[in-house]
Amino acid sequence: MKHYRAYCFDLDGTVYRGKEVIPTAIQFIHQLEDKQLDYFFVTNNSSKTPSQIKQTLQQFGLNVSEKQIYSSSLVTAKYVKKHFGQAKVFVIGQDGIRYALQQEGIDIVEENPDVVVMGIDRKIDYEKLTKACIAVQNGATLIGTNEDIKFPTEKGFHPGNGSFVKLVSQVSNVEPMFMGKPSPVMLEMIQQEYGYNKNEMLMIGDNYDTDILCGIRFGCDTVHVNTGVVNTEKVKEKGVQPTYCINDLSEFEL
Ligand SMILES: [Mg+2]
């Protein structure tokens, strides 16, 4: 196996599964630390702030800095700042996305926005969705933190942010933009901030349609692990294959 300088991990299904840790992933990350190799977490979860994600990782025995955490919220806020600097933004979402937008100094409004930003909101209701639909019909740009339609829980699939963005998009007849995986924006940001070459970076994840495609679209090597939502057999059916398919990270030689 090739050597890399920057290891980028998905979280759920790769480092942990819901509330339970994946020990082989934690051991692998400790090996990276011993070898002083860089690693990052690249998550589509927009509901948590970097400090909340850091706390979750701490419970699983990982001491990471907030700088190592790239979320779809963070990238969305930076994108809005860069391309719509003075814009008024209507937000559907939880702490993570609100905090990220505030950190960038974005003006969050309830009426007449220029941009509608949607992240997962577990208190979403008809009124919020209607407001978003009307704003987009009146010309506001529609941005979703991520396009995941559903996510697995112990009880079955729950609706993901993508399903609500799709609703607003279809009612308003406007195509949304998405910032999370499989969009390569998060990996591009890591590359720009640390100056890696693409061939020095590796994207590791359990979900072909988000993690692996993100790496492929960005142009770096990828590892599919069989510890999460998509199993290896399904991945083998895909046209473009990950660089490596492994059961878990104990099989990856550093
Ligand atoms: Mg995952």
Side-chain angles (χ1 to χ4, degrees), residues 70-158:
Y70 285 75
S71 72
S72 60
S73 289
L74 191 92
V75 176
T76 302
K78 288 192 177 185
Y79 185 90
V80 170
K81 176 74 175 179
K82 190 172 171 190
H83 297 274
F84 306 89
Q86 304 301 314
K88 293 185 175 68
V89 178
F90 174 65
V91 188
I92 293 182
Q94 293 176 212
D95 291 358
I97 184 64
R98 287 179 191 279
Y99 177 79
L101 289 165
Q102 281 160 359
Q103 287 294 101
E104 293 293 333
I106 306 287
D107 193 7
I108 298 177
V109 299
E110 287 297 314
E111 304 294 335
N112 301 317
D114 307 299
V115 179
V116 172
V117 168
M118 292 182 70
I120 187 77
D121 183 344
R122 289 174 179 82
K123 294 203 169 79
I124 199 161
D125 60 25
Y126 192 82
E127 192 190 334
K128 288 185 196 176
L129 287 165
T130 305
K131 261 191 177 177
C133 291
I134 298 295
V136 173
Q137 287 169 76
N138 286 335
T141 304
L142 176 59
I143 300 179
T145 54
N146 61 301
E147 59 187 295
D148 303 53
I149 293 291
K150 58 186 178 179
F151 56 89
T153 73
E154 294 78 4
K155 290 178 182 167
F157 289 106
H158 283 192

Side-chain angles (χ1 to χ4, degrees), residues 224-250:
H224 178 264
V225 287
N226 200 19
T227 48
V229 289
V230 182
N231 64 35
T232 309
E233 285 73 56
K234 278 267 175 280
V235 174
K236 296 276 187 206
E237 293 166 8
K238 302 283 184 180
V240 185
Q241 287 293 300
T243 316
Y244 311 99
C245 272
I246 55 178
N247 279 313
D248 63 57
L249 283 163
S250 69

Side-chain angles (χ1 to χ4, degrees), residues 2-8 183-192 194-204 213-222 243-244:
K2 222 185 100 181
H3 295 283
Y4 301 88
R5 278 178 69 199
Y7 294 75
C8 305
S183 155
V185 182
M186 289 194 276
L187 293 180
E188 284 167 4
M189 202 169 274
I190 294 173
Q191 185 193 20
Q192 282 163 15
Y194 291 85
Y196 303 117
N197 290 319
K198 288 185 181 183
N199 63 13
E200 295 171 324
M201 294 172 68
L202 185 67
M203 179 68 214
I204 303 160
L213 277 185
C214 172
I216 289 170
R217 287 185 188 171
F218 172 66
C220 70
D221 283 354
T222 54
T243 316
Y244 311 99

Side-chain angles (χ1 to χ4, degrees), residues 10-16 42-43 148 152 181 204-207 210-211 225 228-230:
D10 165 58
L11 284 176
D12 210 345
T14 302
V15 175
Y16 52 76
V42 176
T43 175
D148 303 53
K181 300 171 285 187
I204 303 160
D206 66 304
N207 189 332
T210 54
D211 308 320
V225 287
V229 289
V230 182

